[in-house]
Amino acid sequence: MAFDSSPANIHGGPSSPDDWATSPISNTVSSPGDRRRPKRGRRSSYATPSPLPSDSRFPTPDATPTPSGSNSRRRGRARRPAGTPTAAATPSSTDDAPMSSEAGDGDDDEAPPMYVWGTNISVQDVNAAILRFLRHFRENPQQIEGKYMRIINHVIEVEGDSLDVDAHDVFDYDNDLYAKMVRYPLEVLAIFDIVLMDMVSRINPLFEKHIQARIFNLKSSTSMRNLNPSDVEKMVSLKGMIIRCSSIIPEIREAVFRCLVCGYYSDPIVVDRGRIDEPTICGKQECRSKNSMTLVHNRCRFADKQVVRVQEMPDEIPEGGTPHTVSLLMHDKLVDAGKPGDRVEVTGIYRAMSVRVGQTQRTVKSIFKTYIDCLHLKKTDKSRMHVEDPMETENGPSRNENESTLDEDKVEQLKELSKQPDIYERLTKSLAPNIWELDDVKKGLLCQLFGGNALKLPSGASFRGDINILLVGDPGTSKSQLLQYIHKLSPRGIYTSGRGSSAVGLTAYVAKDPETGETVLESGALVLSDRGICCIDEFDKMSDNARSMLHEVMEQQTVSIAKAGIIASLNARTSVLACANPIGSRYNPRLSVIENIHLPPTLLSRFDLIYLILDKADEQMDRRLAKHIVALHFEDPDNSEQDVIDLPTLTAYVSYARKHIHPQLSDEAAEELTRGYVEMRRRGNFPGSSKKVITATPRQIESLIRLSEALARIRFSQWVEKRDVTEAFRLLEVAMQQSATDHSTGTIDMDLITTGVSASERMRRENLVSTTRNIIMEKMQLGGPSTRLLELLEELKKQSSGAEIHLSDLRNALATLSTEGFVVVHGDSVKRI
Amino acid sequence: MVGLPYDCLANPLGAVRLTFEKAVASGSDPATLDGKDWGAGELFRQFLFDDDGLSQVPMLNQSTIKWVQPNTLVRFRGMIQDMLGNEYYVGAYKDGDMWRTNKFADTSRCPMDASSDMRIWERRLLYCVPIPGQNSWVESSHEAVRNSISPQREKRQREDDATMSDVDMVEPGYALEDSPNPKKMREDGMALEPLGLQKIVAEGNLSTLSLVPDAETNSLPCLVKIYDFPESDLKLNDVFEFVGIFTFDPDLTVDRDDNDELTDNFCEDTLIYLPSTKVPRLHCVVHRKLIGTDFLSNPQLELTPYVIKEVREALLGHLTAVLGNDRVAAQYMLLHLLSRVHARIDSIAVGKLSLNLTCFNKESISVFGNHLKLVMESLLPFTQCLPLTVDYLNTVSLAPKKNYHTNRLECGILQLAEGTHLTIDETSLQTGTLNSKGCENARVLKNMMDSQKVEYDFTYYKMEMAADVQLLILSEGKSNILPADLVLPFRPSSVDSALGVDGEMLKAWRWYLATMKSLPHSIEPHMQKAVEDDLVAARQADRSLGSQEFSRWLTMGRLMSVSFGETCLSMEHWQMVRELERLRKERLLGNM
């Protein structure tokens, strides 16, 4: 955008074919005169030490990067019919020597080529280069029409006022132009705008709006911390977070005055350097009253302006530093483009403005304030990992931008990494390297990070691709650390503690907007971690109410809300990683998982993998722990870790895989899956036993598919191979052996998970019931006197010879019998009916 | 060199100008001097350190600010409380044919013609405050070095001396803002309830409202401008001594009638809230990070094992007396006082040793709590006390918070310099409801306990800053809000009210603590093996032992040998630690 030289200025040489008699100044949205003041202040400060040559517009051998543009502006003044004050008498306080300007005007009439003052940039060259770029740039050779020509046409159609120009395109097409643009943005952009105007008026002569070029996506982006005086007046791009927006400032552009005496309206007066020259005398010949002119507000033209403060992203701040901030100046359409809290990528021109001691004083304090004249503002995704999200992409361009965040070398590097034979092991090792052991748990977590493919059948049934994991374990087995680590790594994710989470906090709640009074839906943790991982610590301490909300989320992946007149179903395609302590804080191996963690089986079955992290009495482990801790205290912390993939690479790896790799089941793998599943089911019927134990359910085969897909993704493979399936089986078995082992028989029993009671236990109970029934049949008469429970227990113990029977077992048995209508239980007494 | 043509002390800018002119005259183009030093720094360094000029430089504080002349060399000791970013200024400009510089100055000396050539340079702005919790003896020790004379300061010196020689250290005059009225406290004497509500309120108010701390209080913030130093040198909460040129220019106050919103928004900054009348500016020439021993008057003791042992014994005896003849508690206290975070591995802060003394009741806290507080104040350079009550938690802001309106980091109680000692008194905690602020505060405290990190609130996100604070908790039962590394039931057997300590002894102890704390430490391979075996055996015997316990033992082992002035863990010290832990465990069991 032309910030201060209006397009006509540069183009105004006599040689120019079309004389912009009607200066588009009224349409130049971005030439607020008052900004010239700061600019001039800086400009003069940047003048080269050498005296200014009067013919400086001609190629100077030493192309000094210094003031520019001001001369071209002056040229414009000569052209301007009314001699608009835009470029009139520059303030002597800040401007360069008036001499040169006079001479400069003289030069105008002689010789093209013109050069931007003080540089070796030829106006015509740049003009031609831009024109070429806009006309001929194509993303791929097949396209007939240039990319930007298409966009320009589109802009004209929708009567837009800006054209987004990808700086990468400029670079690809003409890197000389790119270099010039970044180096002398003010001048080049002014030319850019003129070229655009020219083209637009050729396409559609009636189109009156002035289209500005908005450059974005520079090749390199600076960090806020590294901005330094040499960046002043250059195009910069940086990332940050908006922390404060000023109110919108209406900035006057044209003022109209009216005579109080005769009612005569003056011509619009254009703002010059933040000032308006108020006419002292009425312009009407007949009137000529003095000091009678008054401003007519609703006839004036205003433009929006806003000052926004951007702060460094937390991850760019070095240790022990506080975030830096920078001010942005936004104009027109960019006003309110972002709000506090947004993470943005800003492209703009870095400017410095001298601070005046007083508004009227000429003396300038020796300090400068810096700001960025914003050209383009892009909101960046909040997430750390870019995840594909077809449902949320609003428009094409933004998707393209996302894709370009991973540049080619990086992708190449990742692919290289994926080809390593031991990538699976290396990734496992890189996951929470400070937590030793627990390799299988880490592998499970790795699968969770990569995730399987979500599947949506045409019939409407959908299968989740997210893998849910539950970690149950003794205190102090670094479960929470694992959780924290995964949280750090996951694309987006929420970390909550079960104790402090309520049902609404997890799902969604309805709140009244304080300003409008409308009810609005506020997302809870699970909804916020859509497409990410929701880490729930202290899962066992969560209220039942909150936990029951998870049922829907974990299988259907939605959150349904029906309250306060809002009925909605929100996506919550999230993996859940939960960890829990056993019920007696330490795992009791004599109890089943269900009894230990005390979670409803319905919920438990929704976890693909349940790991028990137990503190086993193992001297080897103890020794390793001791070694680790001693090393922690006495060794140099740096040399302990090696051969691990660092966090950023890991994140990039995961996000790339999640985005680009969608493995399919190969026939071989499918075969293996079927075979394995049947095998697993068959394992329940071990010979010599009449009881049938279900060791696997359809839920498990879904889990297996997800796991194998995740494993294929880890290798960047498009096909799920047999080995992935084998590994998935192994993972599931490792997890199941720990969690679904029936401790009395030693076999895997999915019934433990699905009903909370193992098959052998069920059989025992049935036996007990029948024995009790027999005893009652024998000992008690129908409608006879009631018997005490303890007596019955004694009897029972005698009969069952040796097997330990508790009172509670008996109570259970009696409860079964009473539902059959066989007995009545009254407190401690039993009565047969 | 005899007879310098300039006086570094009284006219430092002259020296700067001279060197600059020399540099330009010798042919350097001002453009090449961007962000570089042309010899001025070297000159000052030579003056300050080689020619021993440092002691002649007056210290800038509340009392000296009244008479220190602008544009002279001063010293300032403080903690970096906030970083205000960079400032661009006209570094060099052409006045006629001469190049002149504005470095180390707020404004140019000669009227600057706006049309002249200039170079823009940058400098960093740091907002520094006196170290929170600094005890009065620290101030007096470095004031003794100063040799300028002024009536007020003489008086002050005498006062300090009096305090110092005040044998029983009843009430070392508070140097800090958080004492509303030291006089009153003194009158109340020993029987006073140490943590009155009034004080709590006062503290609460102070921390919430003070952007610029009250002019009445004895603390003087300072805006330090740093030139040409890589930014990694200076970190938030570091304690530095800055030597630089003090400037004070009443004309420079920013025009407030200037109601142009644009300029307002750009200059919104900070500086408006820091008028130079309240916050002096210091153009730093030389800075130096201060460590523990820098706060001592003169390290007069030699590092011989014998001396160390003797001092250790005496200090332990003193601590035992203070703790009512509880020698175990005194041993633990000594280790606690020597602890510091020496490494951070992932989220673990290695070396911290927070101590929770339990079994206090209303009576014992008023006696021992007070004693302890005084001892801490007399031994350590920076101490803070935190009375934990529901009201306090609900009102005070513990963690620093960024105020985007003023663009300043508002100081929280837990913004502390490295090595500060923090006593948290939980005995007055009653049942009550915590509001959201209270919960947040409790969480911040716990986080500080666990990982020695404080979350600074930047509204849109939180940023964790590493801290190194020794935490001592006094409570009735085991503190559940603040799980300390060590829980020890306190068993006093006598109350010794007269705790006479002479000044020399105190100095020796301070020196001992500061020096030992910074000792390096290592372990021999054979010892490492022995320790590992011991740990494995212990774990085989008792499954409840985990990494936490092991970690604590190793920390204690390290501190134990450090307390003897040794840099290597020996079996003897390791056994002492195990024995101590055994005693502690017995107590814990006996308590149940």
Side-chain angles (χ1 to χ4, degrees):
Chain A
M1 275 172 291
F3 271 101
D4 41 6
S5 44
S6 88
N9 295 340
I10 292 176
H11 219 67
S15 55
S16 79
D18 36 8
D19 198 330
W20 298 79
T22 54
S23 150
I25 189 78
S26 56
N27 279 334
T28 352
V29 221
S30 55
S31 45
D34 67 332
R35 256 177 317 113
R36 190 159 302 126
R37 171 183 51 125
K39 185 192 160 193
R40 290 261 169 128
R42 192 219 60 79
R43 180 147 291 168
S44 49
S45 71
Y46 247 50
T48 36
S50 59
L52 311 170
S54 58
D55 56 342
S56 51
R57 211 174 316 139
F58 291 103
T60 34
D62 54 333
T64 35
T66 35
S68 44
S70 50
N71 274 11
S72 45
R73 196 184 310 126
R74 236 166 265 124
R75 217 181 308 143
R77 181 189 57 195
R79 296 285 104 211
R80 213 54 71 64
T84 31
T86 332
T90 37
S92 54
S93 64
T94 51
D95 206 3
D96 3 65
M99 259 297 289
S100 73
S101 96
E102 292 312 312
D105 276 343
D107 290 343
D108 258 353
D109 303 317
E110 311 155 14
M114 290 188 292
Y115 285 87
V116 173
W117 186 86
T119 70
N120 56 355
I121 294 185
S122 146
V123 176
Q124 278 92 341
D125 285 358
V126 173
N127 200 325
I130 293 170
L131 203 62
R132 260 201 314 277
F133 166 72
L134 286 176
R135 286 231 173 99
H136 304 299
F137 178 78
R138 285 174 182 80
E139 269 171 322
N140 53 50
Q142 291 94 21
Q143 282 170 324
I144 310 154
E145 202 180 16
K147 176 184 177 185
Y148 287 98
M149 289 312 287
R150 209 170 57 231
I151 298 177
I152 289 171
N153 283 326
H154 179 74
V155 168
I156 292 172
E157 260 169 48
V158 300
E159 304 219 331
D161 59 3
S162 63
L163 171 76
D164 287 344
V165 178
D166 189 338
H168 271 79
D169 293 346
V170 179
F171 183 82
D172 290 346
Y173 190 77
D174 182 351
N175 58 28
D176 179 50
L177 177 64
Y178 175 84
K180 278 179 182 156
M181 185 174 76
V182 172
R183 188 73 190 74
Y184 308 105
L186 286 170
E187 295 72 29
V188 174
L189 286 178
I191 301 171
F192 216 119
D193 284 2
I194 298 162
V195 174
L196 267 178
M197 285 220 78
D198 194 12
M199 287 176 87
V200 168
S201 64
R202 244 172 242 171
I203 296 169
N204 181 358
L206 297 175
F207 191 77
E208 283 198 336
K209 271 190 177 168
H210 172 53
I211 298 180
Q212 297 168 40
R214 297 196 190 282
I215 313 288
F216 70 98
N217 198 10
L218 291 192
K219 290 294 277 187
S220 62
S221 110
T222 347
S223 102
M224 221 173 273
R225 211 157 269 275
N226 294 337
L227 285 177
N228 61 49
S230 66
D231 288 323
V232 169
E233 211 78 341
K234 287 192 195 147
M235 201 185 284
V236 292
S237 148
L238 39 87
K239 284 184 182 146
M241 180 192 265
I242 298 183
I243 52 163
R244 211 180 141 195
C245 293
S246 75
S247 50
I248 297 171
I249 309 159
E251 190 186 42
I252 198 160
R253 284 287 162 72
E254 278 176 2
V256 173
F257 291 89
R258 188 173 68 98
C259 176
L260 284 172
V261 179
C262 64
Y264 165 78
Y265 285 100
S266 71
D267 288 332
I269 295 167
V270 180
V271 171
D272 178 33
R273 291 178 298 279
R275 280 159 182 283
I276 297 163
D277 290 328
E278 185 180 339
T280 46
I281 297 173
C282 178
K284 203 171 167 188
Q285 288 300 331
E286 297 82 38
C287 180
R288 285 277 171 209
S289 319
K290 280 194 177 167
N291 299 327
S292 65
M293 302 302 280
T294 176
L295 191 71
V296 187
H297 284 278
N298 52 6
R299 282 258 198 131
C300 297
R301 248 177 27 80
F302 293 91
D304 289 343
K305 191 170 72 174
Q306 188 179 33
V307 179
V308 170
R309 258 189 117 72
V310 173
Q311 183 174 278
E312 247 176 331
M313 300 279 226
D315 43 344
E316 281 177 3
I317 304 162
E319 199 198 320
T322 58
H324 279 202
T325 57
V326 69
S327 293
L328 294 183
L329 196 58
M330 316 278 250
H331 293 282
D332 303 304
K333 277 288 150 62
L334 287 172
V335 165
D336 273 350
K339 53 186 181 308
D342 282 348
R343 292 172 192 231
V344 293
E345 191 177 336
V346 174
T347 311
I349 303 170
Y350 194 45
R351 311 285 289 262
M353 162 177 98
S354 65
V355 179
R356 280 159 189 257
V357 176
Q359 186 105 45
T360 46
Q361 276 159 289
R362 263 190 53 198
T363 44
V364 174
K365 199 171 151 188
S366 62
I367 291 172
F368 287 89
K369 292 286 158 208
T370 53
Y371 64 94
I372 291 176
D373 256 332
C374 186
L375 289 174
H376 189 273
L377 184 96
K378 186 179 96 185
K379 281 190 211 176
T380 50
D381 203 325
K382 254 192 161 141
S383 67
R384 282 146 284 192
M385 216 160 75
H386 297 278
V387 199
E388 105 277 21
D389 204 341
M391 309 186 80
E392 276 175 24
T393 38
E394 319 84 18
N395 43 23
S398 79
R399 259 194 77 117
N400 285 342
E401 286 155 28
N402 258 350
E403 264 156 30
S404 59
T405 49
L406 270 184
D407 50 61
E408 269 125 56
D409 344 337
K410 189 81 191 167
V411 170
E412 215 38 60
Q413 205 186 321
L414 293 180
K415 282 190 179 147
E416 204 54 48
L417 201 62
S418 74
K419 286 200 189 90
Q420 291 185 0
D422 62 340
I423 182 68
Y424 182 45
E425 266 66 36
R426 267 194 79 185
L427 285 173
T428 312
K429 229 190 291 172
S430 316
L431 198 72
N434 59 323
I435 299 169
W436 70 109
E437 291 296 316
L438 303 180
D439 268 1
D440 281 322
V441 178
K442 284 187 189 175
K443 282 175 180 167
L445 293 176
L446 206 59
C447 287
Q448 185 180 37
L449 274 177
F450 283 88
N453 277 337
L455 193 67
K456 195 155 183 130
L457 296 182
S459 63
S462 64
F463 297 93
R464 66 186 157 102
D466 303 288
I467 296 168
N468 299 323
I469 295 183
L470 175 68
L471 309 177
V472 184
D474 293 337
T477 39
S478 53
K479 295 186 301 295
S480 294
Q481 266 163 293
L482 272 176
L483 238 68
Q484 292 277 15
Y485 191 87
I486 295 295
H487 169 64
K488 242 192 279 175
L489 202 66
S490 70
R492 79 183 77 168
I494 303 286
Y495 183 94
T496 71
S497 177
R499 207 197 286 270
S501 310
S502 64
V504 286
L506 279 177
T507 55
Y509 56 99
V510 177
K512 265 221 156 66
D513 190 303
E515 277 171 27
T516 60
E518 286 170 21
T519 45
V520 290
L521 211 54
E522 298 271 349
S523 308
L526 286 165
V527 178
L528 285 178
S529 49
D530 185 31
R531 299 255 165 208
I533 296 176
C534 184
C535 302
I536 307 174
D537 207 347
E538 321 239 14
F539 196 57
D540 50 325
K541 294 171 189 72
M542 195 179 239
S543 74
D544 289 343
N545 189 17
R547 257 195 313 242
S548 66
M549 285 306 297
L550 287 168
H551 283 128
E552 186 193 351
V553 172
M554 287 175 67
E555 207 58 50
Q556 268 64 51
Q557 309 238 292
T558 54
V559 168
S560 304
I561 292 278
K563 54 181 123 180
I566 296 180
I567 299 170
S569 191
L570 305 171
N571 274 326
R573 291 155 297 182
T574 165
S575 309
V576 174
L577 173 60
C579 76
N581 280 128
I583 188 162
S585 85
R586 205 157 259 283
Y587 191 84
N588 183 349
R590 271 172 293 281
L591 299 177
S592 77
V593 190
I594 307 288
E595 285 161 313
N596 260 309
I597 44 182
H598 203 65
L599 287 175
T602 42
L603 191 55
L604 221 48
S605 70
R606 285 171 162 82
F607 284 102
D608 296 84
L609 297 172
I610 301 171
Y611 283 105
L612 288 183
I613 306 182
L614 298 186
D615 198 6
K616 288 189 204 119
D618 177 0
E619 201 193 317
Q620 274 304 311
M621 291 271 279
D622 289 351
R623 184 157 293 281
R624 241 179 287 178
L625 174 73
K627 247 196 166 63
H628 177 79
I629 289 176
V630 173
L632 196 72
H633 278 258
F634 289 100
E635 263 166 31
D636 202 3
D638 297 331
N639 57 15
S640 51
E641 291 158 25
Q642 72 277 30
D643 195 36
V644 292
I645 300 163
D646 57 31
L647 201 66
T649 317
L650 194 58
T651 319
Y653 193 90
V654 174
S655 58
Y656 182 82
R658 279 184 77 119
K659 192 163 178 165
H660 297 281
I661 313 289
H662 301 287
Q664 303 283 313
L665 269 183
S666 64
D667 293 346
E668 202 187 13
E671 195 121 318
E672 176 71 15
L673 257 175
T674 330
R675 202 190 56 72
Y677 181 63
V678 171
E679 164 89 1
M680 252 172 113
R681 300 260 316 171
R682 197 185 298 134
R683 227 178 296 169
N685 312 323
F686 46 89
S689 159
S690 62
K691 61 177 183 174
K692 195 167 158 70
V693 187
I694 305 165
T695 47
T697 63
R699 274 221 164 102
Q700 267 66 51
I701 196 160
E702 279 179 32
S703 296
L704 282 169
I705 296 172
R706 282 193 283 269
L707 287 172
S708 0
E709 280 169 352
L711 288 164
R713 259 191 188 166
I714 291 176
R715 290 181 296 110
F716 278 15
S717 157
Q718 293 297 349
W719 289 99
V720 178
E721 287 167 24
K722 191 173 166 188
R723 55 175 167 157
D724 297 322
V725 177
T726 321
E727 174 66 13
F729 267 106
R730 197 190 66 81
L731 280 178
L732 192 71
E733 247 159 67
V734 167
M736 282 214 298
Q737 246 157 26
Q738 288 172 325
S739 63
T741 312
D742 183 341
H743 286 286
S744 36
T745 62
T747 50
I748 296 170
D749 185 353
M750 276 328 289
D751 269 10
L752 259 176
I753 302 286
T754 47
T755 65
V757 183
S758 71
S760 63
E761 171 75 18
R762 228 174 21 215
M763 221 143 96
R764 204 176 70 90
R765 281 190 196 173
E766 271 162 28
N767 286 340
L768 192 70
V769 170
S770 62
T771 326
T772 317
R773 193 200 306 269
N774 289 343
I775 292 172
I776 291 172
M777 294 266 265
E778 278 170 29
K779 304 268 162 172
M780 290 158 67
Q781 271 99 51
L782 217 125
S786 55
T787 320
R788 291 181 59 95
L789 272 183
L790 283 176
E791 290 168 29
L792 211 58
L793 187 68
E794 281 304 308
E795 194 63 33
L796 205 60
K797 276 185 180 164
K798 247 184 260 164
Q799 291 221 351
S800 52
S801 61
E804 211 173 307
I805 297 169
H806 292 284
L807 194 59
S808 56
D809 297 332
L810 179 61
R811 273 187 198 282
N812 282 336
L814 285 175
T816 319
L817 290 176
S818 66
T819 51
E820 290 173 13
F822 188 64
V823 290
V824 174
V825 184
H826 265 298
D828 248 9
S829 54
V830 189
K831 198 174 171 181
R832 186 179 161 192
I833 44 169
Chain B
M1 228 168 50
V2 200
L4 291 163
Y6 32 72
D7 180 358
C8 281
L9 200 60
N11 184 15
L13 282 175
V16 171
R17 200 166 49 231
L18 229 82
T19 49
F20 180 73
E21 275 159 17
K22 214 194 273 172
V24 172
S26 68
S28 354
D29 181 9
T32 61
L33 293 175
D34 289 8
K36 282 196 203 77
D37 184 29
W38 57 77
E42 193 43 52
L43 182 82
F44 280 107
R45 235 165 274 140
Q46 192 195 346
F47 164 73
L48 290 171
F49 302 119
D50 301 351
D51 303 344
D52 204 28
L54 190 63
S55 58
Q56 298 168 34
V57 181
M59 192 70 78
L60 190 68
N61 57 33
Q62 196 64 49
S63 48
T64 53
I65 185 118
K66 299 186 182 90
W67 56 266
V68 167
Q69 289 295 311
N71 296 329
T72 58
L73 215 56
V74 291
R75 280 195 288 167
F76 180 80
R77 282 184 169 190
M79 182 184 88
I80 301 174
Q81 196 265 317
D82 193 7
M83 295 170 169
L84 305 179
N86 293 354
E87 184 177 68
Y88 289 10
Y89 67 103
V90 176
Y93 62 100
K94 208 160 192 185
D95 177 28
D97 289 334
M98 282 288 284
W99 276 96
R100 300 201 184 279
T101 181
N102 274 333
K103 205 169 173 179
F104 305 114
D106 278 330
T107 38
S108 48
R109 303 207 122 194
C110 329
M112 199 172 21
D113 192 0
S115 63
S116 57
D117 293 344
M118 45 179 113
R119 308 283 318 162
I120 298 181
W121 293 345
E122 67 182 326
R123 57 190 171 205
R124 294 184 69 202
L125 302 186
L126 300 176
Y127 183 76
C128 299
V129 293
I131 305 141
Q134 179 169 308
N135 288 315
S136 53
W137 60 264
V138 177
E139 208 166 316
S140 58
S141 65
H142 56 66
E143 262 182 35
V145 185
R146 150 223 72 121
N147 55 4
S148 342
I149 303 141
S150 95
Q152 306 147 311
R153 286 170 51 87
E154 280 252 281
K155 195 166 145 237
R156 185 169 166 82
Q157 176 79 41
R158 270 203 300 277
E159 229 173 55
D160 285 333
D161 286 347
T163 328
M164 285 307 300
S165 52
D166 201 351
V167 205
D168 54 7
M169 298 292 295
V170 177
E171 182 58 62
Y174 286 84
L176 249 214
E177 64 263 32
D178 54 1
S179 158
N181 192 347
K183 281 259 164 54
K184 188 169 163 267
M185 303 271 278
R186 203 170 299 185
E187 281 159 18
D188 290 351
M190 300 297 281
L192 51 79
E193 197 191 305
L195 312 149
L197 196 74
Q198 202 185 1
K199 188 182 164 193
I200 299 163
V201 173
E203 267 184 6
N205 282 349
L206 249 177
S207 59
T208 43
L209 96 205
S210 62
L211 264 177
V212 180
D214 263 65
E216 280 85 42
T217 58
N218 208 0
S219 66
L220 179 81
C222 184
L223 190 66
V224 180
K225 305 194 174 185
I226 304 283
Y227 295 82
D228 314 333
F229 277 99
E231 110 182 86
S232 51
D233 275 14
L234 299 141
K235 288 185 177 158
L236 203 66
N237 299 349
D238 275 357
V239 175
F240 272 91
E241 178 169 83
F242 301 99
V243 181
I245 300 160
F246 166 66
T247 60
F248 176 77
D249 190 348
D251 303 339
L252 265 183
T253 43
V254 186
D255 248 345
R256 277 169 194 257
D257 343 317
D258 187 354
N259 47 11
D260 175 3
E261 208 183 333
L262 177 70
T263 16
D264 261 6
N265 269 301
F266 284 132
C267 314
E268 61 182 81
D269 49 34
T270 29
L271 298 184
I272 292 178
Y273 300 96
L274 305 171
S276 63
T277 44
K278 275 195 180 158
V279 184
R281 312 291 200 250
L282 188 81
H283 294 266
C284 176
V285 180
V286 176
H287 64 256
R288 176 168 74 100
K289 189 170 178 177
L290 298 178
I291 52 164
T293 40
D294 288 323
F295 301 103
L296 307 172
S297 34
N298 280 313
Q300 63 284 77
L301 287 165
E302 261 184 88
L303 248 170
T304 64
Y306 178 72
V307 173
I308 290 171
K309 211 164 180 169
E310 207 168 53
V311 174
R312 182 184 187 274
E313 228 16 76
L315 178 56
L316 203 57
H318 181 60
L319 287 174
T320 313
V322 167
L323 290 164
N325 254 341
D326 186 345
R327 198 169 168 86
V328 176
Q331 296 249 25
Y332 274 106
M333 185 63 75
L334 179 67
L335 297 185
H336 165 67
L337 292 181
L338 284 169
S339 69
R340 73 183 166 99
V341 178
H342 60 83
R344 277 177 197 280
I345 293 152
D346 299 308
S347 56
I348 307 159
V350 184
K352 67 169 176 114
L353 194 71
S354 50
L355 179 60
N356 183 189
L357 288 181
T358 60
C359 298
F360 276 99
N361 54 31
K362 278 270 178 296
E363 294 83 55
S364 57
I365 188 73
S366 64
V367 180
F368 293 109
N370 214 32
H371 279 193
L372 270 175
K373 187 167 170 244
L374 296 180
V375 168
M376 296 303 157
E377 276 168 7
S378 60
L379 288 177
L380 301 167
F382 323 116
T383 55
Q384 288 272 57
C385 264
L386 220 151
L388 208 65
T389 63
V390 172
D391 269 358
Y392 182 78
L393 276 176
N394 280 341
T395 48
V396 86
S397 56
L398 288 178
K401 187 175 187 309
K402 179 89 175 182
N403 180 336
Y404 285 116
H405 187 68
T406 56
N407 206 19
R408 280 286 319 283
L409 189 64
E410 281 173 4
C411 199
I413 306 267
L414 291 187
Q415 188 172 9
L416 296 170
E418 203 174 288
T420 306
H421 186 276
L422 181 65
T423 310
I424 300 174
D425 179 3
E426 218 190 77
T427 52
S428 43
L429 188 67
Q430 302 289 324
T431 51
T433 317
L434 287 183
N435 58 19
S436 60
K437 193 169 188 181
C439 289
E440 181 64 20
N441 278 334
R443 207 180 55 76
V444 165
L445 270 178
K446 183 171 182 295
N447 199 14
M448 171 100 147
M449 266 316 209
D450 286 347
S451 54
Q452 289 281 346
K453 277 181 181 170
V454 182
E455 274 185 349
Y456 287 25
D457 185 357
F458 282 87
T459 310
Y460 304 104
Y461 55 87
K462 304 220 162 137
M463 205 160 76
E464 279 195 330
M465 291 278 179
D468 182 0
V469 176
Q470 301 168 335
L471 289 151
L472 173 66
I473 295 127
L474 310 177
S475 61
E476 276 172 47
K478 176 179 175 294
S479 173
N480 286 321
I481 306 174
L482 306 164
D485 297 324
L486 282 167
V487 181
L488 179 70
F490 179 46
R491 295 270 168 80
S493 54
S494 69
V495 177
D496 190 358
S497 51
L499 299 161
V501 180
D502 79 286
E504 280 309 306
M505 214 58 220
L506 263 180
K507 276 185 189 162
W509 291 342
R510 287 170 194 160
W511 165 84
Y512 166 78
L513 286 176
T515 322
M516 296 301 130
K517 210 172 153 180
S518 53
L519 280 184
H521 196 71
S522 64
I523 190 167
E524 299 280 327
H526 73 272
M527 193 56 210
Q528 183 167 353
K529 181 85 182 63
V531 168
E532 277 171 29
D533 288 345
D534 202 20
L535 291 181
V536 171
R539 194 167 151 79
Q540 292 294 324
D542 181 358
R543 298 303 306 165
S544 66
L545 295 173
S547 51
Q548 255 182 351
E549 280 75 18
F550 290 177
S551 215
R552 183 174 65 226
W553 290 354
L554 281 160
T555 306
M556 285 174 63
R558 173 198 182 91
L559 293 172
M560 186 62 87
S561 42
V562 156
S563 79
F564 285 97
E566 279 168 31
T567 56
C568 226
L569 183 64
S570 69
M571 203 59 204
E572 188 196 350
H573 296 145
W574 176 249
Q575 293 302 345
M576 281 169 82
V577 167
R578 293 299 307 272
E579 177 63 16
L580 256 182
E581 281 288 281
R582 197 184 57 74
L583 288 173
R584 189 174 72 95
K585 203 170 174 190
E586 263 174 23
R587 266 197 201 187
L588 275 174
L589 289 173
N591 233 40
M592 280 205 279

